[in-house]
Amino acid sequence: MKSEKAKNNEEKLSRSQKINIEVENGVRANPYYLKVAKRYRTAKLLSLAALILYLISMLVMHRAQITYENLVYLAKDLDTDVEAEDALFEEIKYDESRKMSAAMYKGRLALATTTSFTLYNSTGAIERTFKISMENPKVVSGDKYVLVYDVGGTTYSLYTTILCAHSGQTQYTLQGAAVSDSGSYALITRARENRYNVTIYDSNFRELTKIFKDKYVMDVALSSDGTGYAVASCEMAGTSAVTEIMSGRYDSESTSVATVDDSLPFEVSFFSDGSFCAVGDNAIAFFGGDGEKISERRFDGYGVTGVSFSSGAVMITESRNVVDTKNSVTVFSRDGSEVLTASVYAKISACALGDTAAYFAYDGTLTRYTVSAEPVSVTCPKIVKMLVPYSDNVLVMGQTSAVTGFPASSDGE
């Protein structure tokens, strides 16, 4: 028999015996999904190889057709930038220019001088700059393109936020232009056979139609979708001018013609609903989408000193006396009714109408009028070349810089 000591040793050894247990740290692969993944990987590599071979073959076979102009034409629709909402602009500095024109384009300030066209973002930095040579540049903008043309010259260009999409030269001098939100545009030029031609192009720069006018064409406008047009022209009847407003669609030969007696046309513009308005030196007329005149109003001041359009209204400033020391401001809705009137005992140097407020500058003061609130005034530069509305604010364009008219901390005068 085993001794008591031997039994105790055997019991200790049995309790301390090492047991090996295998634990799987990794996840066991599923053979089915592994096979599918390998097939997708192979398909991806084959597709990439086919794409590379296709590109190489196209470059070799059609290298004569691959030009810079074709690449630009392809890139004109690659602009995917989104307009920044409610962004306050910091001070924008630029060189003083004898001729200057500006507009808002996709949340940027589009500024043209005689030597350059520049896009500034809300931080005041230059995003893009393009060299131009124009004696009298004018900027008009839409949702797709911004158009810069030389008034009295023959050159024009259309830009996106990344490139110059198209440049052209007319046979005769340019007198005016318009661009729609869809990208179509119209050019007013002098003509040999007729006094003026109005040519409308689509967003791919192809000519759609040409309008010949024996009258003096003063302005042209396009609807936001680019299908409708309105041409403001005039002729002399004795000692007074008669305004003619011709409207229609580029894809139709039928047109509507209306006249405004004893008035010299200044501007014509469409509203967002397809109706439009024409402003003259002593009258304003409102038209429906079919070209029928809705209403007409005569001015009783001493001349129109400023005009500004928004998507649903128009703003007129008038001199109220001979020496121009009193001016009035009137905002009309698209149907011709007055929505705002104001007077100021000073000469208004610039005015602009935004979607929510009307702005005008005089004697170093900038005033904002809204329908539902009291007017607010702040100081601004003494010399204001123009006002550019954006969002719920306005940019004040001075000789060498542009500043936001109403900063966030501004509570009025």
Side-chain angles (χ1 to χ4, degrees):
M1 292 183 66
K2 294 183 180 179
S3 64
E4 187 69 25
K5 185 176 181 180
K7 290 181 179 180
N8 291 336
N9 288 336
E10 288 180 359
E11 185 177 353
K12 289 181 179 179
L13 288 173
S14 64
R15 288 199 301 265
S16 62
Q17 186 177 1
K18 183 178 180 181
I19 301 175
N20 292 325
I21 300 176
E22 293 184 2
V23 178
E24 293 184 1
N25 293 326
V27 179
R28 184 175 296 177
N30 188 309
Y32 170 76
Y33 288 110
L34 183 61
K35 183 186 298 184
V36 171
K38 289 181 179 179
R39 289 178 179 176
Y40 274 110
R41 186 185 303 113
T42 303
K44 181 185 72 172
L45 295 175
L46 291 176
S47 299
L48 181 60
L51 176 62
I52 295 174
L53 290 174
Y54 173 78
L55 292 176
I56 294 175
S57 62
M58 290 298 102
L59 289 173
V60 172
M61 295 171 59
H62 303 285
R63 60 182 180 273
Q65 283 74 37
I66 301 176
T67 63
Y68 174 77
E69 289 77 12
N70 290 339
L71 293 176
V72 169
Y73 185 82
L74 175 65
K76 68 182 176 62
D77 295 320
L78 298 180
D79 182 11
T80 58
D81 289 344
V82 178
E83 180 177 346
E85 295 290 340
D86 302 327
L88 290 178
F89 277 77
E90 299 181 13
E91 184 178 12
I92 297 173
K93 294 185 178 295
Y94 43 79
D95 294 332
E96 184 174 0
S97 177
R98 179 175 53 87
K99 297 287 186 178
M100 183 178 70
S101 179
M104 292 302 300
Y105 174 62
K106 292 184 179 292
R108 299 158 178 82
L109 176 66
L111 176 67
T113 64
T114 56
T115 58
S116 66
F117 172 68
T118 308
L119 294 173
Y120 297 88
N121 60 27
S122 59
T123 66
I126 295 176
E127 281 198 356
R128 298 285 187 277
T129 185
F130 306 90
K131 290 185 178 180
I132 61 175
S133 179
M134 298 184 181
E135 290 294 326
N136 191 12
K138 177 70 174 177
V139 179
V140 289
S141 67
D143 282 350
K144 187 176 180 67
Y145 299 127
V146 57
L147 170 64
V148 183
Y149 66 98
D150 191 6
V151 181
T154 59
T155 58
Y156 68 94
S157 297
L158 292 107
Y159 299 89
T160 68
T161 58
I162 58 177
L163 51 78
C164 176
H166 176 71
S167 290
Q169 186 168 3
T170 58
Q171 184 178 3
Y172 301 103
T173 57
L174 281 160
Q175 300 297 313
V179 61
S180 71
D181 289 339
S182 65
S184 61
Y185 60 100
L187 302 176
I188 303 173
T189 60
R190 298 300 298 264
R192 176 177 295 178
E193 298 83 4
N194 307 84
R195 284 178 177 168
Y196 288 90
N197 289 338
V198 179
T199 309
I200 301 176
Y201 302 84
D202 66 9
S203 60
N204 293 319
F205 325 122
R206 297 172 299 194
E207 182 179 319
L208 294 175
T209 186
K210 189 184 291 288
I211 302 169
F212 303 95
K213 298 292 292 183
D214 285 326
K215 300 177 175 61
Y216 296 96
V217 177
M218 306 299 288
D219 197 18
V220 63
L222 296 175
S223 60
S224 60
D225 61 2
T227 59
Y229 66 85
V231 178
S233 61
C234 69
E235 63 180 351
M236 298 304 298
T239 59
S240 62
V242 177
T243 293
E244 179 191 274
I245 306 298
M246 186 180 75
S247 60
R249 295 173 58 93
Y250 76 84
D251 55 357
S252 173
E253 294 184 358
S254 62
T255 59
S256 297
V257 177
T259 59
V260 181
D261 295 332
D262 193 22
S263 180
L264 181 68
F266 285 163
E267 292 187 37
V268 61
S269 182
F270 275 87
F271 299 121
S272 58
D273 65 347
S275 60
F276 60 94
C277 170
V279 180
D281 61 341
N282 55 16
I284 183 170
F286 297 86
F287 301 84
D290 57 358
E292 182 181 356
K293 188 192 296 185
I294 298 174
S295 64
E296 178 183 328
R297 171 166 176 167
R298 313 297 299 190
F299 301 136
D300 56 1
Y302 286 82
V304 174
T305 58
V307 181
S308 180
F309 284 91
S310 70
S311 60
V314 57
M315 174 183 182
I316 307 295
T317 60
E318 292 180 81
S319 175
R320 307 307 298 183
N321 55 26
V322 178
V323 293
D324 206 21
T325 57
K326 182 182 179 181
N327 283 259
S328 65
V329 178
T330 308
V331 177
F332 299 92
S333 65
R334 65 188 65 178
D335 61 0
S337 59
E338 288 187 12
V339 295
L340 188 149
T341 58
S343 297
V344 57
Y345 287 89
K347 182 178 180 180
I348 296 177
S349 57
C351 69
L353 181 63
D355 288 333
T356 60
Y359 309 89
F360 54 91
Y362 58 93
D363 294 344
T365 300
L366 175 67
T367 299
R368 175 179 63 195
Y369 269 85
T370 60
V371 177
S372 59
E374 292 295 320
V376 179
S377 296
V378 295
T379 58
C380 70
K382 285 286 186 181
I383 300 177
V384 178
K385 306 196 77 170
M386 64 185 305
L387 299 176
V388 182
Y390 73 96
S391 187
D392 294 331
N393 218 312
V394 66
L395 272 176
V396 182
M397 308 291 296
Q399 290 182 305
T400 59
S401 65
V403 294
T404 295
F406 294 87
S409 61
S410 175
D411 293 325
E413 198 173 36

